[in-house]
Amino acid sequence: MADHPMLAHPCLSDLVIGKAVYTTRLHGDGRGNYVGATRETISGCAIAHVGRLVVRDGERVLELTGYLTVPRRDRGATGGADGT
């Protein structure tokens, strides 16, 4: 199990924590809106996130919606959609 102190937060109490295999980077606009992606370190899999910083029961919470993604195909030397 990883040893980060935040992993003891009650919101994770129903999970068994294993090894770290994802990296998440979120970017804020300074007005409470965030966008970013969670990427698997061993493949091209990613989840795109969009959300807001909100207050729930007096606690600041980052609420995000995750969207499934697929890697963008290389558009080739001329930029055509078919790679030509």
Side-chain angles (χ1 to χ4, degrees):
M1 179 177 149
D3 60 358
H4 194 287
M6 288 298 290
L7 292 174
H9 193 280
C11 75
L12 301 176
S13 64
D14 63 332
L15 303 173
V16 175
I17 306 298
K19 72 177 189 170
V21 295
Y22 300 99
T23 298
T24 301
R25 288 193 176 90
L26 300 173
H27 305 269
D29 66 359
R31 297 183 312 229
N33 299 302
Y34 289 83
V35 64
T38 297
R39 299 178 187 274
E40 193 173 42
T41 57
I42 59 175
S43 75
C45 295
I47 299 171
H49 301 285
V50 177
R52 291 195 49 77
L53 183 63
V54 298
V55 177
R56 297 273 184 251
D57 299 322
E59 183 178 35
R60 293 185 313 170
V61 177
L62 190 54
E63 280 192 347
L64 302 168
T65 300
Y67 297 89
L68 295 175
T69 68
V70 294
R72 186 179 307 266
R73 289 183 50 162
D74 184 4
R75 295 179 186 256
T78 62
D82 63 355
T84 59

